[in-house]
């Protein structure tokens, strides 16, 4: 409790006092954008240290992926590529992209290949709609892209959403996504598939699927911890009607088996009962904890009674014990006012800790007038005093 209390005071001071103003943010993409993602190349030889960011946008009624690059540690970015998914053209719509660097070879894709996955086609008429989750690859650090495969095609007009990628311990590429197509049993469930070559996908199975039809697990993201465990966060909506869409987590030894899918997992919560709500994204940082820290950004943070916390939209949650025990708060690099599940403000943000664990870069969306734009900023990570 004492550790949490000290850090909470630091966080509130950061938010409230002029002497501890939040770091400046810059526009990452100066047009409508969503689902920003950010990674640092680690398996790419001479390109290691390059930071890549992605987001989706609409240009002339076509869904487009935007790829940007920074070679100065995130101080400046420039656009280096676009990805034009033909399934998202002419009003087909695009959503929910993710960005990932292969740590080891998958099929003919060597370590260092950059992958991008998107949801496409949900704007098609219901009579012909079959939403797809699609994989793209770049062998030149994000400059040029090629379509690789489709790892999910909806068998009916209902949607699939929100892909994320991870390489399991056996070297196979695993894709997770939110699946609304099993309407007789579930309004939505979290599922997974895998591939040994990047092209042929199989072993579709439930990851998290509630026995209550209305409960909606989704939005999975996975990191690998220093002890080798795989750590997954996701939201579960319509389960806890006080806290709504709370963030849960579970672990896996091998990156494929995450346990009984009917068990919703463990909820992320602080010592004073605050919850993370909506669109969680998780990252591993070498600090500020003495043994490293798990960092979590979510769209909202609420009090134990479900009311909006004062630091909502302006705080990250952290855990120094590989996910065990209570989480604590630290100031977010990007401070967003008025976050209340509006669909843009702080919706599906992402984090990139520095290599030394002393700072973190955040990409997040916020409204500029009526336009939802992606922003980027970096801020310090400080170990609280005992």
């Amino acid at each position: 409790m004492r550790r949490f209390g000290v850090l909470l005071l630091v966080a509130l001071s950061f938010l409230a006092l002029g002497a501890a103003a939040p770091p400046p943010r810059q526009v990452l993409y100066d047009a409508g954008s969503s689902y920003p993602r950010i990674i640092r190349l680690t398996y790419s030889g001479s390109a290691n240290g390059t930071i890549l960011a992605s987001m989706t946008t609409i240009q002339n009624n076509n869904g487009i992926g935007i790829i940007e690059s920074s070679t100065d540690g995130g101080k400046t970015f420039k656009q280096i590529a676009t990805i034009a998914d033909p399934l998202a053209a002419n009003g087909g719509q695009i959503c929910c992209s993710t960005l990932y660097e292969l740590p080891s070879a998958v099929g003919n894709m060597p370590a260092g290949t950059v992958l991008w996955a998107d949801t496409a086609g949900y704007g098609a008429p219901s009579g012909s709609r079959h939403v797809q989750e699609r994989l793209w690859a770049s062998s030149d650090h994000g400059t040029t892209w090629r379509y690789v495969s489709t790892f999910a095609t909806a068998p009916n007009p209902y949607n699939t959403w929100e892909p994320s990628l991870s390489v399991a311990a056996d070297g196979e590429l695993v894709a997770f996504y939110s699946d609304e197509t099993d309407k007789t049993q579930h309004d939505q469930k979290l599922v997974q598939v895998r591939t040994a070559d990047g092209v042929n996908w199989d072993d579709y199975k439930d990851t998290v699927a509630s026995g209550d039809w209305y409960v909606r697990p989704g939005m999975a993201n996975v990191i690998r911890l220093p002890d080798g465990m795989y750590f997954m966060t996701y939201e579960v909506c319509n389960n806890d009607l006080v806290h709504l869409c709370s963030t849960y987590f579970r672990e896996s030894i091998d990156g494929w088996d995450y346990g009984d899918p009917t068990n919703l997992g463990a909820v992320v919560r602080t010592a004073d009962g605050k919850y993370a709500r909506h669109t969680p994204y998780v990252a591993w940082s070498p600090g500020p904890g003495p043994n490293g820290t798990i960092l979590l950004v979510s769209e909202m943070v609420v009090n134990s009674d479900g009311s909006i916390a004062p630091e909502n939209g302006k705080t990250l949650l952290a855990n120094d014990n590989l996910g065990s025990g209570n989480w604590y708060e630290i100031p977010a690099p990007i401070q967003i006012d008025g976050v209340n599940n509006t669909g843009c403000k702080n919706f599906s943000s992402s984090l990139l800790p520095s290599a030394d664990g002393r700072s973190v870069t955040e990409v997040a969306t916020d409204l500029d007038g009526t336009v939802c734009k992606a922003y980027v900023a970096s801020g310090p990570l400080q170990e609280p005093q005992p």
Side-chain angles (χ1 to χ4, degrees):
M1 276 297 285
R2 185 182 177 192
R3 175 189 179 93
F4 173 85
V6 170
L7 190 58
L8 180 58
L9 290 176
V10 172
L12 293 178
S13 297
F14 182 100
L15 302 176
L17 300 179
R25 69 183 189 181
Q26 59 176 306
V27 174
L28 182 61
Y29 183 67
D30 197 16
S33 48
S34 63
Y35 284 84
R37 293 291 181 263
I38 186 168
I39 62 172
R40 180 185 300 105
L41 298 185
T42 306
Y43 308 96
S44 297
S46 61
N48 282 352
T50 300
I51 296 175
L52 298 181
S54 73
M55 64 228 67
T56 54
T57 191
I58 303 295
Q59 295 179 356
N60 300 318
N61 204 32
N62 299 318
I64 301 291
I66 302 294
I67 307 295
E68 300 203 8
S69 174
S70 173
T71 56
D72 58 6
K75 296 181 178 66
T76 60
F77 285 83
K78 66 176 181 180
Q79 184 175 330
I80 60 170
T82 59
I83 304 173
D85 189 333
L87 195 63
N90 302 313
Q93 295 293 338
I94 196 169
C95 180
C96 323
S97 63
T98 193
L99 192 61
Y100 185 72
E101 182 193 21
L102 283 180
S104 55
V106 174
N108 64 4
M109 299 183 294
T113 301
V114 183
L115 303 179
W116 185 82
D118 67 317
T119 296
Y122 65 91
S126 61
S128 59
R129 183 188 309 133
H130 294 282
V131 179
Q132 294 185 14
E133 306 300 311
R134 292 157 64 83
L135 182 70
W136 304 72
S138 172
S139 56
D140 56 6
H141 320 307
T143 303
T144 59
W145 292 84
R146 67 184 186 278
Y147 167 77
V148 178
S149 61
T150 292
F151 54 88
T153 299
N156 51 43
Y158 297 107
N159 294 324
T160 58
W161 303 105
E162 303 148 356
S164 68
L165 303 171
S166 175
V167 168
D170 64 2
E172 293 200 351
L173 179 65
V174 182
F176 303 91
Y177 60 96
S178 308
D179 187 351
E180 296 183 342
T181 67
D182 185 15
K183 285 298 185 186
T184 60
Q185 300 296 322
H186 307 279
D187 190 32
Q188 179 175 286
K189 59 184 179 178
L190 183 58
V191 301
Q192 62 193 75
V193 291
R194 60 183 170 182
T195 178
D197 60 9
V199 177
N200 301 290
W201 297 81
D202 53 24
D203 295 338
Y204 171 97
K205 72 171 187 174
D206 295 348
T207 313
V208 187
S210 173
D212 184 338
W213 187 90
Y214 293 96
V215 173
R216 293 172 57 91
M219 288 193 160
N221 286 290
V222 174
I223 57 174
R224 197 166 191 185
L225 300 176
D227 63 357
M229 294 292 288
Y230 291 80
F231 187 90
M232 173 192 291
T233 58
Y234 47 96
E235 68 176 22
V236 178
C237 295
N238 302 337
N239 177 52
D240 180 344
L241 299 183
V242 174
H243 303 100
L244 298 173
C245 295
S246 295
T247 296
Y248 288 72
F249 69 90
R250 60 178 60 210
E251 294 180 304
S252 170
I253 295 174
D254 61 5
W256 175 251
D257 183 1
Y258 284 85
D260 180 0
T262 64
N263 182 345
L264 294 182
V267 70
V268 171
R269 186 183 302 149
T270 65
D272 64 346
K274 291 190 177 72
Y275 288 75
R277 280 181 54 187
H278 297 291
T279 71
Y281 185 92
V282 67
W284 169 257
S285 173
N291 300 308
T293 300
I294 299 173
L295 300 175
L296 176 79
V297 60
S298 60
E299 182 184 16
M300 299 177 65
V301 173
V302 298
N303 295 315
S304 59
D305 63 359
S307 61
I308 294 176
E311 62 273 31
N312 175 56
K314 303 175 182 180
T315 189
L316 309 179
L317 297 185
N319 183 290
D320 295 341
N321 300 304
L322 301 177
S324 297
N326 291 318
W327 295 62
Y328 62 89
E329 295 180 87
I330 56 177
I334 297 180
Q335 308 274 291
I336 301 178
D337 294 320
V339 179
N340 193 9
N341 193 27
T342 58
C344 173
K345 288 176 172 286
N346 208 31
F347 189 91
S348 199
S349 304
S350 61
L351 301 172
L352 179 63
S354 64
D356 62 7
R358 299 177 62 182
S359 63
V360 62
T361 299
E362 180 183 10
V363 289
T365 50
D366 195 6
L367 286 171
D368 180 2
T370 59
V371 180
C372 188
K373 295 182 179 180
Y375 295 85
V376 61
S378 297
L381 292 173
Q382 297 180 349
E383 172 70 5
Q385 297 300 311

